[in-house]
Amino acid sequence: MPLRAKIQNPAMSINSTRKYAYATTSEIKEESGDDPSDVLFGSQYGVRTITLNRPKKLNSLDASMCRKIVPRLIEWSKSQMANVVVIKGEGRAFCAGGDIAALALQNKKGPEEQNKSKDFFALEYKLDHLIATYTKPYVAFLDGITMGGGVGLSINAPIRIATENTVFAMPETTIGFFPDVGASFFLPRLDGQLGMYLALTSEQLKGVNVFYAGVATHYIHSSSLPDLEARLSELDFKDNDSMEHRLRIVNSTIEEFCTGLPHDQPVSLPVGGKIRQAIDYAFQPANENIEKCLQMLQNLADMNPDDPGGSEVIEWAKKTKKTILQRSPTSVKVAYRQLRESPKWSIAETFIREQGIASRFMEHQDFIEGVSALLIDKPRRTPNWSPNSLDEVSDSTVQEFFPPMDQLHLQLLRSGEDADYKESPYAADIGLPRERVIEEYITQARPKSKDAVVQQFVQRSNGKQGVEEKVEEFLLRKTDEQRGQVVLRAA
């Protein structure tokens, strides 16, 4: 039998006077009943390690784990002996998400238990914001499944390492939820409309494509991770070294272990090629709503199969439209609005607003129904969403998920100028170049050849692995050479 939530009056969906648990750092500590071994901590010279240790549950994140990690991160931030923090997972997953099955069972019991679920997300987002504004180099080894809550523990870090085992996804709309853990900040900052596509479809990125997409900042074979960790432990910084300097040293150290990209795995769909062009077309910002995106997907499905790449795009468009229509209609509409508005949010505002959205979903039937149908009930079944179609989800219903900031009261663990930003302060110096940066260079420098563009970015990055491949794919997809000059194709 499907679980049924006790739904509160929508007018009371966000209690503006309620204060969440764990209001201060001192309140975040282990509690009786917490698993003593779900997170393991280590120390080797200057490296401090966090190992997520629930391999049978794919290291799914729960409150017990958060209550261990937060105090340790704060302790290390004050220690002159701790130079670099490394987070990793035991087994075949880094972290496959939050323990949402437990939350769904909890929410079934009504408003009081739903408040406990809201408290979990408050705690999780406090941790994610702490990582996003951490004052020491924080390196995430994404060696395995990385989804949902695991994304929050990694994507908010300045350095994220993918391996051949990495599987990345944001599967929230599949279960009647929304892309959270900072997705409001990082998904719109992926190239083109890739972030919107990943949010609405839950599509997976695997292996080196996680790196090419910008989700990871480096790609290393998993067999090199132990040696890399040992090498990082040897790094030593002066007390007055800036964060920028420290990250530069860590970055160059990691590059020593980047010994090559898979030759049989070029930049591929959905990150590049014809499918990437289709993504940027179907989900373009000019579309005022998700229904317009679906219409553009239908336009692609109706294209001539004899056109270049036609049959591939047609198949993709049909599949993508069908996938979106299978997701929770409420989740899809909320996520669409979220990612259209969130580029204006700072990193602190991101987590505060996501807490408001998550709180409303804890009261909504679709979260209970989606988790129940896909993760709890045996055998799995198709969720029965309520409402069950996009046209039944009104603008006023979506608005309930976006209360004004003055009605949100999540108190983050860090505040002040160094605990907030509109753009990640180190992204441009560590990861692959963003496509908009390549576009700006072409527009301003008016290079004479594509080879000149590639060489420019390879030199800028000091020969960083992956730069040549990414720039070449971009040039193939979006530029032409005309009269001795590289020009951008019309959108």
Side-chain angles (χ1 to χ4, degrees), residues 309-348:
S311 58
E312 179 187 22
V313 171
I314 290 170
E315 181 181 354
W316 172 85
K318 290 178 179 179
K319 175 187 173 184
T320 300
K321 182 179 179 182
K322 179 179 179 181
T323 295
I324 292 173
L325 292 175
Q326 290 173 336
R327 302 298 184 242
S328 158
T330 301
S331 293
V332 166
K333 282 203 166 182
V334 169
Y336 190 83
R337 174 170 167 180
Q338 169 198 1
L339 295 193
R340 288 295 182 236
E341 293 188 0
S342 63
K344 300 177 291 186
W345 302 348
S346 70
I347 192 66

Side-chain angles (χ1 to χ4, degrees), residues 235-464:
L235 299 181
D236 190 24
F237 303 117
K238 298 177 182 178
D239 292 345
N240 61 351
D241 282 344
S242 66
M243 180 65 160
E244 183 179 7
H245 174 77
R246 294 170 188 239
L247 286 173
R248 189 181 304 119
I249 298 300
V250 172
N251 180 43
S252 62
T253 301
I254 295 172
E255 287 294 331
E256 296 172 11
F257 291 81
C258 297
T259 56
L261 298 168
H263 296 295
D264 59 343
Q265 297 178 40
V267 184
S268 58
L269 66 91
V271 182
K274 294 291 185 182
I275 297 302
R276 173 57 196 287
Q277 290 179 323
I279 288 171
D280 288 353
Y281 166 78
F283 298 99
Q284 58 187 275
N287 294 343
E288 63 272 17
N289 53 45
I290 184 60
E291 289 83 359
K292 181 65 174 176
C293 295
L294 293 172
Q295 180 56 56
M296 299 187 94
L297 285 169
Q298 187 59 50
N299 294 345
L300 292 171
D302 294 337
M303 69 183 289
N304 187 340
D306 294 329
D307 289 345
S311 58
E312 179 187 22
V313 171
I314 290 170
E315 181 181 354
W316 172 85
K318 290 178 179 179
K319 175 187 173 184
T320 300
K321 182 179 179 182
K322 179 179 179 181
T323 295
I324 292 173
L325 292 175
Q326 290 173 336
R327 302 298 184 242
S328 158
T330 301
S331 293
V332 166
K333 282 203 166 182
V334 169
Y336 190 83
R337 174 170 167 180
Q338 169 198 1
L339 295 193
R340 288 295 182 236
E341 293 188 0
S342 63
K344 300 177 291 186
W345 302 348
S346 70
I347 192 66
E349 184 179 358
T350 288
F351 291 109
I352 293 171
R353 288 194 179 277
E354 286 187 355
Q355 175 59 26
I357 301 172
S359 293
R360 179 66 186 98
F361 268 111
M362 291 305 95
E363 303 163 357
H364 197 279
Q365 172 61 36
D366 276 8
F367 180 76
I368 297 287
E369 174 64 11
V371 176
S372 173
L374 299 175
L375 299 178
I376 297 176
D377 291 353
K378 305 297 181 185
R380 291 175 57 170
R381 58 182 177 80
T382 301
N384 182 23
W385 305 120
S386 180
N388 202 34
S389 65
L390 289 168
D391 58 7
E392 293 179 82
V393 183
S394 65
D395 291 343
S396 60
T397 295
V398 175
Q399 180 58 44
E400 294 171 8
F401 292 83
F402 297 89
M405 276 289 285
D406 61 7
Q407 292 184 18
L408 301 173
H409 298 281
L410 180 66
Q411 182 179 341
L412 299 171
L413 300 177
R414 299 193 68 237
S415 59
E417 292 184 2
D418 65 341
D420 201 10
Y421 48 79
K422 282 291 186 74
E423 293 292 337
S424 179
Y426 312 111
D429 301 322
I430 297 176
L432 294 177
R434 295 179 180 178
E435 289 185 3
R436 64 174 175 79
V437 175
I438 306 174
E439 290 177 352
E440 290 171 0
Y441 173 75
I442 292 172
T443 301
Q444 296 170 7
R446 302 169 69 180
K448 295 182 179 180
S449 70
K450 293 185 179 183
D451 286 344
V453 179
V454 173
Q455 290 306 310
Q456 171 68 20
F457 281 92
V458 169
Q459 290 172 11
R460 283 188 186 186
S461 66
N462 295 317
K464 179 179 175 65

